[in-house]
Amino acid sequence: EAVTLQVVLSTTSVPSPSNGSDTYRWRGQSGGFTSEFSTRVTWDRLRVTSPTVSWFEVVWFKEEIPRCSFITWLSMLARLPTRNRLLSWGLQVPDSCVLCADGLESHNHLFFDCPFAVQIWNKFCGRFISSPPAHLQAAVLMSSQFQDPYSFQVKVIFKLILQVIIYGLWRERNARIFRNVSL
C-alpha cells in the first residue's frame, strides 16, 4: 500500500492556479462523486442501518409526549434499571417490586403483572380496550388492531395511554425508592 501511494503521489501534478481552482467532490448515493453535498446521503453512508422494529410507531409518533416516549423506548428495549437488571449487574439491591412488595421487579412485572399496574390498566379498559395487555409486545399488537371508524384517533389515544401508564409507573416506582414518597 505504501508503494502504491508513493506511485500515485509522484505521478499526480502539484496543484497550481494554472491548472484551475480546486473543487469539492462528495460521495453520492450511488457511490460515485458529485459536486453537491447531501446530509441525508452522508448520514445514510455513515450509519449502520438496522431493520425497523415492530414497536417503532408505538413509541415515536407525531402526538407523542417526549419524556413518555423516551421511557417507553427504554422499556421496549428492556433497558430501564429495574431491580432484576441491577441484580444481574452484581449490585446488592432488594429484588421485590416497590409497588406491590411481591414478585421480582422486572419490566414485565412492573408494567403489566404488578397488581398496582393492573389496577391502573383496568381504569383505562373500556370501549376500545377490553382487557389490559399482558406484556409490551401484546400492547404493540393491540395498537395495530383497532377496527373502529375512528381507528386513527383511537390508535393515537391508545399509544398515549400506553406511554403515560409506563411513564407514570416508572415515576411512581422512582418516587417510592428515592424520595420515600407515594404519589
Side-chain angles (χ1 to χ4, degrees), residues 82-96 104:
T82 55
R83 289 183 166 181
N84 71 326
R85 284 197 80 213
L86 296 174
L87 288 167
S88 73
W89 297 341
L91 297 175
Q92 299 300 315
V93 295
D95 64 351
S96 63
L104 176 64

Side-chain angles (χ1 to χ4, degrees), residues 117-176:
V118 170
Q119 282 182 335
I120 291 177
W121 273 107
N122 284 331
K123 287 195 180 287
F124 290 97
C125 290
R127 179 175 173 202
F128 299 108
I129 307 171
S130 59
S131 62
H135 47 78
L136 285 168
Q137 291 307 318
V140 171
L141 184 63
M142 189 181 289
S143 75
S144 65
Q145 293 181 342
F146 291 111
Q147 300 301 323
D148 190 84
Y150 304 103
S151 63
F152 175 75
Q153 291 91 349
V154 172
K155 189 179 287 192
V156 169
I157 291 169
F158 176 76
K159 292 189 287 188
L160 286 169
I161 287 171
L162 172 68
Q163 288 191 0
V164 168
I165 288 174
I166 288 173
Y167 177 78
L169 289 168
W170 186 248
R171 190 168 175 214
E172 177 68 21
R173 174 227 185 242
N174 288 338
R176 289 184 184 192

Side-chain angles (χ1 to χ4, degrees), residues 11-78:
T11 57
T12 302
S13 60
V14 177
S16 71
S18 62
N19 292 339
S21 62
D22 286 342
T23 59
Y24 292 104
R25 306 295 285 169
W26 303 98
R27 187 74 70 174
Q29 184 75 27
S30 63
F33 289 97
T34 179
S35 59
E36 294 190 17
F37 176 76
S38 168
T39 305
R40 184 182 57 80
V41 170
T42 303
W43 171 247
D44 286 340
R45 294 190 62 78
L46 289 175
R47 73 184 178 115
V48 177
T49 57
S50 299
T52 304
V53 290
S54 63
W55 46 262
F56 175 81
E57 290 181 357
V58 173
V59 176
W60 310 113
F61 55 100
K62 188 174 95 174
E63 298 83 2
E64 71 181 61
I65 302 167
R67 66 178 173 251
C68 296
S69 290
F70 180 72
I71 296 299
T72 304
W73 175 57
L74 290 176
S75 70
M76 291 289 185
L77 295 171

